[in-house]
Amino acid sequence: MNLFCPDYIFKNVVCITPEFLRGQGIRALVLDVDNTLAAHDSQELAPGVREWLEAMRAAGIEMRISSNNVAARVRPFAHKVGLPFVSFSLKPLSRGLRIVRRALGVDKAQMALVGDQIFTDTLAAKLYGVRMLMVEPLAQDIKWNIRAKRVLERPFIAAYYKKGGKLHG
């Protein structure tokens, strides 16, 4: 198992459908915020995300936010979208994922993490034993350390495609 290779890559979060999730036996999603649901440090949802969240709710998909960011950043965003959250999740450690899974009461096989980074989100999902649904970043990264990590992510994304993975959406 490659700890740095996502299970699936999607163009963006709205390309993840309830039908896809049902086909994988996934009943619950753990959602990252920055560059997944909104641009980095933004409180505004990316286009189509509000409707996507409603479609997921209507399909019975349970959702929680898990972010490495502080509560002051995550709380207003989570309130705006009406989802419970865990801030300071410590990804790639399992803290946030454990808290969310306990709250949802699902098996690991029924849960997936949705995020945009290899070294936090993908590694966290793999170490915890849940599937990783990676999305392409919504916007240009504004922090130098994330821009540097994007360069280091390239070989792992290439490995995903080399093993037969495809871009969904």
Side-chain angles (χ1 to χ4, degrees):
M1 174 177 77
N2 186 337
L3 294 175
F4 300 99
C5 191
D7 295 299
Y8 301 95
I9 298 178
F10 292 84
K11 181 73 178 155
N12 55 51
V13 73
V14 301
C15 295
I16 302 169
T17 65
E19 296 77 23
F20 173 84
L21 297 175
R22 273 193 292 277
Q24 300 296 316
I26 297 170
R27 297 181 26 223
L29 294 177
V30 182
L31 304 170
D32 181 47
V33 175
D34 289 321
N35 259 344
T36 300
L37 301 177
H40 200 88
D41 288 334
S42 173
Q43 291 292 328
E44 298 303 315
L45 289 170
V49 172
R50 183 167 305 283
E51 296 80 6
W52 178 81
L53 290 167
E54 292 306 319
M56 289 292 141
R57 285 183 180 107
I61 303 297
E62 294 284 338
M63 296 174 289
R64 299 287 190 278
I65 290 174
S66 179
S67 173
N68 280 354
N69 224 314
V70 296
R73 156 72 175 121
V74 182
R75 182 178 291 111
F77 186 87
H79 179 72
K80 180 184 279 194
V81 298
L83 290 175
F85 72 95
V86 176
S87 58
F88 198 61
S89 291
L90 301 177
K91 293 178 285 183
L93 301 177
S94 63
R95 176 188 180 273
L97 294 175
R98 279 186 290 111
I99 292 169
V100 168
R101 190 170 77 81
R102 278 192 215 125
L104 293 171
V106 296
D107 294 331
K108 289 180 181 180
Q110 297 171 313
M111 188 172 100
L113 174 59
V114 179
D116 67 298
Q117 291 190 52
I118 295 282
F119 299 112
T120 53
D121 302 318
T122 300
L123 184 55
K126 296 296 183 153
L127 289 172
Y128 190 60
V130 298
R131 279 171 282 182
M132 177 61 198
L133 311 181
M134 187 172 175
V135 295
E136 293 184 340
L138 285 173
Q140 186 86 14
D141 293 301
I142 56 176
K143 294 186 175 182
W144 71 268
N145 60 323
I146 297 174
R147 287 195 314 267
K149 286 193 283 185
R150 295 289 184 206
V151 173
L152 299 173
E153 289 177 345
R154 290 179 188 155
F156 302 107
I157 293 170
Y160 166 81
Y161 289 112
K162 188 174 182 179
K163 73 172 189 170
K166 68 176 190 167
L167 178 65
H168 296 266

